[in-house]
Amino acid sequence: MSRETYDAEARSHVETRSEGDVRVVVMAGEFDMDNVAALRVAMDPLAPGVARFVLDVAGVTFVDSTALSVMLQPALERPVVLAGTVPARLARLLEITGADVAFATAPDVARATTMAVPPRGPNPSV
């Protein structure tokens, strides 16, 4: 298991680890257009060897549209699972934008890394 930590600014924190072909991304704090660089690195949709992204969002206090876009980008090609209790403000943003349908959800990271999720992408049968 590899582990990397990125500190965007004092307002946010992103930590990643790999569990086989699953990249677990732990998000904490506020994410907006001024501090999404670390999240963008962690959620790289072209990351080799990553079959699924798991986002632990329990510690998120704010997400703007720029950060939401970064969270959604890999969901075009592979599953992205939101793990833990989704904070009310984030849940509302997902609901009003319709982005909630792009993510699977799981009660915790352990379940999110192993649960069955439908394949994503333009030709999921390949």
Side-chain angles (χ1 to χ4, degrees), residues 9-89:
E9 290 182 14
R11 296 181 296 123
S12 65
H13 178 79
V14 176
E15 179 181 307
T16 66
R17 68 180 181 269
S18 295
E19 296 184 14
D21 63 357
V22 176
R23 177 172 291 172
V24 177
V25 179
V26 180
M27 298 172 61
E30 300 176 11
F31 293 87
D32 58 38
M33 63 185 277
D34 293 328
N35 68 347
V36 294
L39 183 60
R40 187 170 279 122
V41 170
M43 297 297 293
D44 179 3
L46 301 176
V50 177
R52 171 186 311 199
F53 286 88
V54 171
L55 283 172
D56 182 343
V57 295
V60 171
T61 56
F62 177 80
V63 171
D64 77 352
S65 61
T66 302
L68 177 58
S69 176
V70 171
M71 293 167 61
L72 283 167
Q73 190 64 41
L76 298 172
E77 298 293 328
R78 44 191 88 133
V80 178
V81 182
L82 302 181
T85 301
V86 178
R89 290 177 74 174

